[in-house]
Amino acid sequence: MAHLSPSAIFSPSVARQQLAAAKDWNYVDSWLSAKFNGKNPPSFERNNDTLKALLALAALNDSADEERDLMARVEAKALQDLLAKEEGDPHSELVNSLEDSLTREGQTSLEALATSSVALNQPLPSIERLGRSTLDLQVALYDLDQASERISILEAYLNRELASINTLIKDLQGDSYQPPADLTKQTIDYQRRAKALSSKLPELKDRVASLSAGARTKITIQDVKMEEEKFKALMATVKGLEAQVKSYHGLPQDTDLARLELESLRIELRDLTLQRDSMFEGLVERESPTKTRS
């Protein structure tokens, strides 16, 4: 128990914690020794935070090693199966001889065909299926490009909106939108006014009710008809006055000039009347039969 602190001797819980930490450090030290050729962390780094980080790193490393070993075993098994299949294939010698007999261009074409088949997931390729898969891949690539452009446009729009929102936030946090210094005083003043108005509200309601009751009168159909007759009489009077005003249309605005104009019009009317009478008398004398003398 040399690795235990003096406080752990008198506290079982502290002793258990220190034993667990010592066990973890032993695991970490062995893992570091295996990975870094016996190198251990310095003594000043041996604390709980470093222990937690190294334990997490060791766990991740072990899981990665297990996955890598599993993949290696799977690949080795697949290679063994392929080799066994090639050994049992009667056409393997023919295939090998054909590969050896290919020209450089043929080998390049064969490798390109094999690479395309693997990339397009076509284990038994044909020209038609490879072409169709290539076209599908081009269409998917075009769709992805279009989606990427739309996302870029949306991202730019969101960035502009974010910038405007940040500007708005800065404006709202500025001095223009800050409450006045005497806000508390104004609030107290408003509250005092509200209380004063609230105390006067019943009195005002009573006054409004009394005024409404005093002004309330009963209106009958006869009253409406009488008012309508009065209105019609007033309309007739207005029309008569308008006719009289129209008769004076064209006269000067000065009263004396208007009187002179009216007098001249009267003289002219008198002359026209005399002329009409004389013309009528002449017409009567001309049309009446001449009396013969006996």
Side-chain angles (χ1 to χ4, degrees), residues 200-217:
K200 293 181 180 179
L201 186 60
E203 181 182 356
L204 294 175
K205 286 183 178 180
D206 295 338
R207 292 176 61 183
V208 170
S210 61
L211 291 174
S212 299
R216 190 177 301 168
T217 56

Side-chain angles (χ1 to χ4, degrees), residues 57-242:
L57 181 61
L60 291 175
N61 185 262
D62 291 340
S63 62
D65 290 342
E66 291 177 359
E67 291 179 0
R68 186 175 61 253
D69 293 339
L70 180 61
M71 290 296 297
R73 289 196 297 270
V74 170
E75 290 177 356
K77 183 66 170 59
L79 181 59
Q80 290 177 0
D81 294 340
L82 288 175
L83 292 175
K85 186 176 181 180
E86 288 182 358
E87 290 177 357
D89 189 4
H91 304 291
S92 60
E93 294 181 1
L94 178 60
V95 172
N96 292 329
S97 63
L98 288 175
E99 289 180 357
D100 295 336
S101 301
L102 288 174
T103 61
R104 182 178 298 177
E105 291 79 4
Q107 290 179 356
T108 304
S109 300
L110 183 60
E111 290 178 358
L113 181 62
T115 304
S116 301
S117 301
V118 173
L120 297 175
N121 194 17
Q122 296 289 338
L124 299 175
S126 64
I127 301 301
E128 182 180 357
R129 282 189 291 180
L130 287 176
R132 188 182 299 111
S133 299
T134 304
L135 290 176
D136 294 339
L137 187 61
Q138 289 291 336
V139 172
L141 181 61
Y142 176 76
D143 293 338
L144 290 175
D145 290 338
Q146 293 294 321
S148 177
E149 291 181 1
R150 289 194 292 270
I151 291 173
S152 299
I153 294 172
L154 180 60
E155 183 181 4
Y157 173 75
L158 292 176
N159 289 331
R160 290 196 300 270
E161 291 295 324
L162 182 61
S164 62
I165 290 172
N166 290 330
T167 304
L168 179 60
I169 290 174
K170 289 181 180 179
D171 293 338
L172 293 176
Q173 291 176 350
D175 297 334
S176 301
Y177 292 93
Q178 296 300 322
D182 57 345
L183 180 61
T184 305
K185 182 179 179 181
Q186 292 181 5
T187 304
I188 295 173
D189 189 15
Y190 291 153
Q191 290 177 354
R192 184 171 60 254
R193 292 181 182 179
K195 289 181 180 179
L197 292 175
S198 298
S199 62
K200 293 181 180 179
L201 186 60
E203 181 182 356
L204 294 175
K205 286 183 178 180
D206 295 338
R207 292 176 61 183
V208 170
S210 61
L211 291 174
S212 299
R216 190 177 301 168
T217 56
K218 186 176 181 181
I219 300 175
T220 61
I221 298 176
Q222 298 296 330
D223 296 334
V224 175
K225 288 184 177 180
M226 291 176 62
E227 293 295 331
E228 184 179 2
E229 294 296 333
K230 291 180 181 179
F231 178 73
K232 289 181 179 180
L234 288 174
M235 289 295 295
T237 304
V238 169
K239 288 182 179 180
L241 293 174
E242 288 179 352

Side-chain angles (χ1 to χ4, degrees), residues 208-278:
V208 170
S210 61
L211 291 174
S212 299
R216 190 177 301 168
T217 56
K218 186 176 181 181
I219 300 175
T220 61
I221 298 176
Q222 298 296 330
D223 296 334
V224 175
K225 288 184 177 180
M226 291 176 62
E227 293 295 331
E228 184 179 2
E229 294 296 333
K230 291 180 181 179
F231 178 73
K232 289 181 179 180
L234 288 174
M235 289 295 295
T237 304
V238 169
K239 288 182 179 180
L241 293 174
E242 288 179 352
Q244 292 181 8
V245 171
K246 287 181 180 179
S247 64
Y248 294 104
H249 181 69
L251 294 177
Q253 296 182 358
D254 190 4
T255 307
D256 296 334
L257 294 176
R259 288 176 180 176
L260 292 175
E261 183 73 20
L262 182 60
E263 188 65 27
S264 63
L265 290 174
R266 286 177 179 175
I267 294 171
E268 184 178 357
L269 178 62
R270 191 180 304 113
D271 293 339
L272 291 174
T273 303
L274 293 175
Q275 185 179 359
R276 183 198 63 185
D277 293 341
S278 62

